Every structure is written in C-alpha cells, then in structure tokens.
Amino acid sequence: MLAALAGSLLLAVSPAAAAGDAEDDLARATFAGGCFWCMEPPYDDLDGVVETLSGFSGGHASNPAYNDVVSGGTGHREAVQVVFDPEVVDYAELLHVFWRNVDPFDDGGQFCDRGDAYRTAIFAHGDEQMHKARKSLEGFEQSGRFDQAIVTPILEFENFYAAEEYHQGYYRKHPVRYKYYRWRCGRDDRLEEIWGDEAGG
C-alpha cells in the first residue's frame, strides 16, 4: 500500500489467536485481492459474514510481519479471511464479491500496489471450495465477456497469518485515510472500467 499510509509502527497479534477454530457451523474462505484494507468492506456488508481478518496467505515463512511480506521475502500475499455462516451465505456469493473487487488481468499486483504480495489469488479450503472456484473462473473464460486472460490462480489453502492489529478494520478506524488511499490508488476507477455497474466498492 502507499508508503505514506503503511509506514506507521504496528502492533503484532498472535496469528493463531486471530485465525483460530471457528464454531462448528461456521466456515472460512480466504482471498488475496491486493490491499487487504479494501477487501474487508465488501464482505463485512454481506449477511452471513461473521468476521473478516486481514492477513497473509500462501507463503513459506511462519508468523510474518507486514514489512517482511511487502518487501517480497516471505512468498505471502496480502489476503482477507472471511468467517461465514454457509447456511446464510453461500461460497459462490463470496466468489461473486471477490471477482468484482479485483482486477483479474493484472499479474504484477493490484492497482497502485505492485509486487508479488499484492497479486490476486483464491485460496480454496477443501474440495468443495476448489470446485466452486474453478467453476466460477471457467464461467468467465467461457462467457467471451473479456478479451484478456484471467491470471488469478486458484490454489489450495495452506496457511493464514493475521496482520498486525493496526490493519484490522482499517477502513473503520481511519475512514478519511482509507478513502484517500483508495482514491489515490485508482481502485474504484479501474473496477468500474472492468465490471461496470457490477463493480465492488
């Protein structure tokens, strides 16, 4: 994210505590969509979503710090983990929200944020999520809607580490800074260019 906004001193929290076991009737989904600040709001607005957590997924280092991830040394991507009630909201709806909040054609990051830490990905928790994620991707590929190749990978979920507390719910804690960052990064303009009236926000 923009260095001027992301350079503050952060307080670490235990990833295990933040990403601990959900109740038996809840499920988890994990998506990398560039800046994790921007991926929390569209999920928090959904009925059936209990919690969103900003963090890191897909890398090789344990308990990574934000600065280590964005410097490219851990292999992680910024991600949001969604705790949801599948009796209220289906994983297919979470996928619908994901696609319309990312630029799926950008393999070098997202919007103004560049580098591997900001690349998109769907991290599927189990076979059912994997099947639905692949089906959603195939739907776009077969629709002829886009003349560019979608580069967002669908990967098996392996790990998730919560980011420092400063990042959790950033859009609520610092609404003015968040809106400025989002505008400065050109996120909404690009989403509207790709998705039109379906664009997330």
Side-chain angles (χ1 to χ4, degrees):
M1 283 161 270
L2 293 175
L5 295 179
S8 302
L9 180 64
L10 310 180
L11 299 176
V13 295
S14 167
D21 293 336
E23 295 179 14
D24 291 343
D25 56 347
L26 299 180
R28 290 179 183 265
T30 305
F31 305 102
C35 170
F36 44 36
W37 296 346
C38 299
M39 294 301 290
E40 287 186 8
Y43 287 113
D44 285 338
D45 286 343
L46 285 181
D47 289 340
V49 170
V50 176
E51 182 181 24
T52 56
L53 293 165
S54 285
F56 316 110
S57 193
H60 53 77
S62 298
N63 303 316
Y66 172 80
N67 288 337
D68 294 331
V69 171
V70 298
S71 69
T74 72
H76 293 89
R77 304 178 198 219
E78 286 201 12
V80 62
Q81 188 163 94
V82 182
V83 182
F84 67 102
D85 184 347
E87 296 296 320
V88 179
V89 59
D90 187 75
Y91 183 66
E93 177 64 17
L94 303 186
L95 289 167
H96 178 92
V97 170
F98 168 77
W99 289 117
R100 287 153 183 83
N101 280 274
V102 301
D103 179 348
F105 314 116
D106 190 347
D107 197 34
Q110 285 288 283
F111 316 104
C112 69
D113 293 317
R114 314 313 299 164
D116 289 347
Y118 297 106
R119 295 170 62 200
T120 60
I122 297 170
F123 294 101
H125 295 240
D127 292 342
E128 181 178 356
Q129 287 192 6
M130 180 67 73
H131 173 73
K132 289 183 177 182
R134 287 175 174 167
K135 185 176 179 180
S136 72
L137 173 59
E138 289 169 2
F140 288 125
E141 292 177 333
Q142 295 170 7
S143 70
R145 177 173 181 173
F146 303 116
D147 58 6
Q148 295 175 268
I150 293 175
V151 296
T152 298
I154 300 171
L155 308 171
E156 291 185 7
F157 174 82
E158 294 183 359
N159 53 52
F160 178 83
Y161 299 95
E164 294 86 343
E165 180 60 27
Y166 177 84
H167 287 294
Q168 306 302 330
Y170 187 92
Y171 74 100
R172 291 193 183 110
K173 296 173 182 174
H174 307 284
V176 175
R177 291 181 184 178
Y178 169 72
K179 289 176 182 177
Y180 174 76
Y181 158 73
R182 191 178 178 107
W183 169 80
R184 176 68 177 80
C185 207
R187 190 176 189 109
D188 291 323
D189 287 344
R190 177 58 176 154
L191 290 178
E192 185 174 353
E193 181 182 345
I194 298 169
W195 300 104
D197 293 341
E198 297 178 48

